[in-house]
Structure formats: structure tokens, C-alpha cells
Amino acid sequence: MDDVVTDIPPPSRFMLEDLNNFTPPSPPLPSPFLVFSTLDSSKSFHPSILIIAMSSPSLHFLHHLSSKTLIGTLVLPEFPFSANSVEPLLSDKSCNIYALNDSDRLIMIALVQYSVTSERSHAVAKLLIGERIIPERVLILDSVQSRNFRGKLSPDDIFAVKLETSFERRSSDTGDSPLIKGLDYFPSGSVVDGLAASLLSRCQLKKIKGTLCVSWPHFGVSVMSLVKSLLLKGALAGINHSSDADLEDEYLRFSRSKDFHLDSELYT
């Protein structure tokens, strides 16, 4: 006689899509939106350069630029404000937007400190580029994703590579100084996805000069120094910044305090 308690139940007579018919759909998430400190809510910004940082090394360096001024934030409703601090911290889940005045040009910096899902990437990219913020050039800073990189990546490797829109490459060919100097292009056969891809595609669609710089590894003082050097020789040339020793010591302490997820495939 069959044991009805321990035996494996027979397969359901319903298909999975049939079962879903009895479950009400999840309510859609509210759309992300921008909030600026200016009283003129309809004001548009036209920076000469917009820097969008997502990688840990770029976030740490740009967070510690003393000459920047907080002017707004991009609100993603799935991340509540209650968990954030009053003063912006690197541990916050936020996307604060800063202005960096350098002589006659305006540089804007967006520090994306939360993980944006693929489903939300297009909406976030649309807000950051081409509506209220209309930049002349865009620099996106992200990390290489091992799953998308053709070939094995060693934790001992330290490098950065770039992708450009056709408008950025054309301007470099006509003599404009690149935002990031001395980098090779992203190797053939590798791909970029997520928010970085949406941002670069948005630049191409809006005919904006855009550059995506991806670095490896995700964390470490050496890669942070590399990203810092690239920025100070290019997009942020002449900008005042913290001393190397102070910045590196703080980044080392910050890295050790975080429980970073490491992809086991990187070390096989």
C-alpha cells in the first residue's frame, strides 16, 4: 500500500501558466524620478561633462572630492530613504547628483550607490541623460562583469578598457581630447549589460558623445588608484582632490568593512 505521507506526489494536472491565473499580478513599481534643490522645478542642466559612477573605486574617489556641491538625487522607490544617513555616505543606497564647478565649465557627477535591475535600467538612464540633464559629453564608470568577459580574469590583473559612441569616436578623430586617455577598447567578443549598457545606448540614441570605462578588479586600492589617475589626466584634469595616502588608507578600511560577494569563477 502506498504511503501518502512520504511518497512523491503525482505531477499537477495544471500547467504553471494556469496556476498563475489564480494569482493577482503584482502591482507595478512607481516610476523613478529626479529631485533637485533648485526652486525652479522646470530648470534643465547643460553640463559640459556628466560623470556617472557605479564601480566601487570610482564611487570612493568621487565621493571624496571636496569641491563638489549636492544639487539633487534620483529616487528609485524600491530603496527607502529611511535606511540612509542625513549626510551622504558611501554605505547609503542612493543616487546623489553633484555639481563640480571648474572655471567656466559645469561638470555634473551622479553616484549610483544601488544595484539597478535590468527592468529599471532604461528608466534610470532616461532620467540621467537627455531630459532634465542634457550634457555635451558623458563618462560612465563601471566594473568588468566576469560573466560577460571573453576569457578568464585573474584577481592579480589590474586594467581598464573603454567603449565609445560613434559621436565620441568621431570627435576624437577630429582632435577633441578624450575624456579618458590611453585606454584600449573593450575586447571583441565581450559584452556589457545592465545600467551601463542602457546609459551608453541612451547617449548613442540622443547623439551625445559618450564613453564607458570599465575597470578590473571590482575592489582594491590598486584599481582605485588607476581609476583616479585616469580621471585626473582626463575629465577631471586640474581638480583638487584628497591626498593619495589618506584616500588609499580610507578605501582600504572601507573595503575590509564590507562583506563583498566574490564570483568563484574568477579564481578557477
Side-chain angles (χ1 to χ4, degrees):
M1 184 175 179
D2 294 336
D3 188 340
V4 296
V5 176
T6 59
D7 278 1
I8 299 175
S12 173
R13 292 174 295 170
F14 292 99
M15 301 296 290
L16 183 59
E17 53 268 27
D18 294 329
L19 293 174
N20 289 336
N21 291 334
F22 299 100
T23 305
S26 301
L29 287 171
S31 298
F33 57 93
L34 288 170
V35 177
F36 287 104
S37 56
T38 176
L39 296 178
D40 185 0
S41 59
S42 62
K43 179 182 178 181
S44 295
F45 297 87
H46 299 268
S48 59
I49 301 174
L50 169 64
I51 301 176
I52 303 172
M54 293 177 283
S55 66
S56 173
S58 63
L59 285 170
H60 188 84
F61 171 61
L62 294 172
H63 176 79
H64 288 89
L65 284 178
S66 58
S67 53
K68 68 184 187 307
T69 303
L70 179 64
I71 61 170
T73 188
L74 189 154
V75 179
L76 207 56
E78 53 262 44
F79 295 102
F81 279 113
S82 59
N84 291 340
S85 58
V86 176
E87 294 293 330
L89 294 177
L90 282 171
S91 56
D92 292 343
K93 291 187 181 298
S94 62
C95 178
N96 288 325
I97 301 171
Y98 299 86
L100 188 64
N101 289 304
D102 176 35
S103 63
D104 294 331
R105 63 175 181 167
L106 170 64
I107 298 175
M108 292 182 69
I109 298 172
L111 303 185
V112 185
Q113 296 180 192
Y114 41 54
S115 179
V116 180
T117 63
S118 299
E119 295 78 13
R120 304 285 267 173
S121 292
H122 175 70
V124 172
K126 189 175 179 180
L127 284 175
L128 286 175
I129 301 173
E131 292 193 344
R132 296 282 303 282
I133 304 173
I134 308 170
E136 295 177 17
R137 303 176 83 176
V138 175
L139 175 60
I140 307 154
L141 302 169
D142 201 0
S143 295
V144 173
Q145 300 299 318
S146 60
R147 65 180 181 272
N148 296 333
F149 192 81
R150 185 176 182 181
K152 290 294 183 180
L153 292 171
S154 166
D156 297 324
D157 293 335
I158 300 171
F159 66 87
V161 289
K162 67 178 179 179
L163 281 171
E164 295 174 336
T165 63
S166 58
F167 306 98
E168 176 64 30
R169 185 173 297 191
R170 203 175 301 151
S171 69
S172 299
D173 293 340
T174 58
D176 285 356
S177 179
L179 293 177
I180 293 289
K181 300 179 180 179
L183 286 189
D184 294 329
Y185 286 100
F186 203 55
S188 177
S190 301
V191 296
V192 175
D193 62 3
L195 180 58
S198 295
L199 290 166
L200 195 64
S201 299
R202 180 74 176 166
C203 290
Q204 182 69 23
L205 180 66
K206 302 296 288 185
K207 298 182 179 181
I208 294 172
K209 301 171 186 176
T211 301
L212 167 62
C213 173
V214 289
S215 58
W216 174 264
H218 292 244
F219 310 104
V221 170
S222 297
V223 69
M224 193 272 293
S225 298
L226 172 61
V227 171
K228 171 186 171 183
S229 175
L230 291 170
L231 287 171
L232 294 179
K233 290 177 181 177
L236 296 182
I239 298 296
N240 294 326
H241 59 282
S242 304
S243 67
D244 292 346
D246 293 342
L247 191 63
E248 291 177 3
D249 288 346
E250 186 170 340
Y251 185 60
L252 186 60
R253 291 194 298 271
F254 173 76
S255 299
R256 287 174 175 172
S257 68
K258 303 295 288 184
D259 182 19
F260 292 130
H261 170 71
L262 300 178
D263 187 345
S264 60
E265 291 182 1
L266 306 182
Y267 308 99
T268 57

